[in-house]
Amino acid sequence: MDLSIRNLVKRFDRLTALDNVTLDVAHGSFVCFLGPSGCGKTTLLRVIAGLEDANEGTIQLGGEDLTAVPTRARNFGVVFQSYSLFPNMSAARNVGYGLECRRWDKAKIGARVDEMLDLVHLADHRTKLPAQMSGGQQQRIALARALAPDPSLLLLDEPLSALDAKVREDLRVEIRSLQQRLNLTTIMVTHDQEEALAMADVIVVMNKGAIEQIGSPRALYADPKTAFVADFIGRMNILRLDESDRGNPSFGGVALKVANIENAANDARALGVRPEMISLSDAEAGGENTLPATVSGITYLGNITRIEAVSDAQPDTPITVELHGASAVPKPGERLGLVIPAEALRVLA
Ligand SMILES: Nc1ncnc2c1ncn2[C@@H]1O[C@H](COP(=O)(O)OP(=O)(O)OP(=O)(O)O)[C@@H](O)[C@H]1O
Ligand SMILES: [Mg+2]
């Protein structure tokens, strides 16, 4: 069932935590709310879960208005950052607890708990208490508990952020494949852009209580509409343009060709370009879209080499270039040209 959110406003005293949020979540999709601390991600998730009332706006699931439906009756699975398992109950009892509350009969609960423990590969740990399990195992139990009542919507609030890097990556894959197998509409809050890129069908980038941009990971990376999104997802070099005719952008006196600039929604005041889209040329060679610059730093990162170059036009903000594999690497202090393809430049609001 599709989830449809319209014009949600949530205020805490004078603070507007959600500022006119409108969003559609298609059935079976995996959506990430991504944004910096305090932007309203958890608040939005809590309003969807019914744990918090909105001041304005509506939420519908499959066409049914949720406003009057209490949290319990929504039948949504929720997993929070802290494991929040019942410490005095075994793994199996934790998984079955929601079913006991729903007064399922004993035999049915037993079978469902077994099925859920298998699903998260923890059948051997069924008698353990939460304190006897690792963080990753506890989070998988929390996931099994949320899935047991066969929810129509799964809501995850930073479920992986307390785990160490390796476990986090494994669980990413596990959650994603589970979600796809069950075709379960899922919303996950995260402030980790890599997590969002790796897991989501759709990313909702939030900033100060409002939605900044919605799109697939590829679309957001390739075509961010604002400097905020560009900066939050991946690295983006921002070129502040000369105060000349906006239709003919130039940077430090170098005219820049920008593909499809006529389609841009905004006047071009700043352009963005991803570090891996820039190549290097001889300083003297000149040529189209080539910025003269001096190498200020080099960082070897194994698969890539990251180069910081100070352009003559914008000395306060070095431009980052990422070279892949075994490309020839320049030396600090070297003069060179930064070559930027017209197709790689983005007009940013
Ligand atoms: N119960 C509350 N009472 C008052 N203010 C609140 C309450 N809950 C959240 N806020 C405020 O609303 C804003 C959004 O908070 P929210 O928890 O949704 O942010 P978030 O995006 O989840 O951040 P984080 O990444 O740090 O978890 C913050 O400014 C926060 O202080
Ligand atoms: Mg939060």
Side-chain angles (χ1 to χ4, degrees):
M1 282 181 290
D2 298 345
L3 182 73
S4 161
I5 296 170
R6 290 290 170 275
N7 308 103
L8 275 193
V9 175
K10 173 66 187 175
R11 292 184 210 94
F12 294 110
D13 298 320
R14 241 161 294 159
L15 177 98
T16 303
L18 296 177
D19 187 4
N20 200 26
V21 168
T22 290
L23 171 71
D24 287 301
V25 176
H27 179 75
S29 63
F30 193 111
V31 174
C32 276
F33 295 166
L34 177 67
S37 185
C39 71
K41 306 179 295 292
T42 294
T43 304
L44 181 52
L45 201 76
R46 288 174 59 83
V47 171
I48 295 170
L51 298 167
E52 204 87 67
D53 286 329
N55 297 93
E56 295 169 31
T58 58
I59 305 180
Q60 294 187 339
L61 184 69
E64 186 202 357
D65 188 356
L66 290 182
T67 314
V69 181
T71 308
R72 254 299 198 35
R74 292 188 189 192
N75 193 29
F76 296 166
V78 184
V79 178
F80 294 106
Q81 173 178 359
S82 51
Y83 316 125
S84 60
L85 295 176
F86 305 112
N88 54 342
M89 291 184 194
S90 68
R93 183 95 198 282
N94 263 286
V95 173
Y97 185 75
L99 308 179
E100 287 178 30
C101 296
R102 286 172 172 80
R103 309 210 180 285
W104 283 33
D105 75 54
K106 274 231 167 71
K108 233 178 112 193
I109 292 178
R112 184 65 175 168
V113 168
D114 289 345
E115 187 188 346
M116 290 298 112
L117 287 172
D118 279 340
L119 199 65
V120 297
H121 313 296
L122 288 175
D124 295 345
H125 299 257
R126 55 179 310 128
T127 58
K128 282 189 177 174
L129 294 173
Q132 297 169 316
M133 290 185 285
S134 72
Q137 288 167 342
Q138 289 182 56
Q139 226 27 355
R140 274 147 68 199
I141 292 294
L143 190 65
R145 184 176 63 179
L147 294 173
D150 195 18
S152 50
L153 193 62
L154 180 63
L155 304 173
L156 310 170
D157 192 354
E158 311 233 17
L160 307 180
S161 61
L163 306 173
D164 70 28
K166 181 74 179 89
V167 179
R168 200 159 63 213
E169 270 179 44
D170 291 348
L171 258 181
R172 264 185 208 167
V173 176
E174 201 170 317
I175 291 177
R176 178 61 164 153
S177 79
L178 251 176
Q179 178 270 332
Q180 286 176 319
R181 204 144 31 99
L182 302 172
N183 194 33
L184 177 57
T185 315
T186 300
I187 301 175
M188 184 176 85
V189 165
T190 178
H191 57 254
D192 180 341
Q193 49 136 331
E194 195 185 293
E195 202 165 281
L197 288 171
M199 295 178 77
D201 296 307
V202 172
I203 299 176
V204 177
V205 182
M206 296 180 64
N207 183 21
K208 295 184 186 144
I211 292 177
E212 197 65 33
Q213 192 173 348
I214 300 175
S216 69
R218 275 169 203 280
L220 288 186
Y221 187 81
D223 207 5
K225 297 301 180 202
T226 65
F228 180 85
V229 174
D231 198 46
F232 207 81
I233 298 184
R235 277 169 183 257
M236 182 70 105
N237 293 297
I238 310 277
L239 311 178
R240 295 187 303 272
L241 296 173
D242 304 335
E243 291 280 332
S244 54
D245 176 5
R246 301 291 183 196
N248 296 294
S250 68
F251 181 72
V254 178
L256 287 177
K257 272 209 181 134
V258 182
N260 301 318
I261 192 168
E262 57 283 358
N263 302 336
N266 309 287
D267 265 2
R269 289 166 191 283
L271 296 177
V273 58
R274 297 285 184 197
E276 69 276 18
M277 304 304 283
I278 304 175
S279 57
L280 306 180
S281 75
D282 255 347
E284 277 71 47
E288 190 177 284
N289 282 15
T290 301
L291 309 175
T294 305
V295 176
S296 61
I298 293 173
T299 312
Y300 177 69
L301 294 168
N303 58 335
I304 60 170
T305 301
R306 185 172 293 146
I307 293 166
E308 304 291 329
V310 175
S311 66
D312 301 354
Q314 191 172 276
D316 57 332
T317 322
I319 293 174
T320 303
V321 181
E322 284 173 3
L323 301 178
H324 281 260
S327 336
V329 172
K331 294 186 176 52
E334 204 172 303
R335 289 285 291 168
L336 40 66
L338 306 177
V339 184
I340 307 176
E343 300 73 38
L345 284 164
R346 296 286 172 272
V347 177
L348 301 175

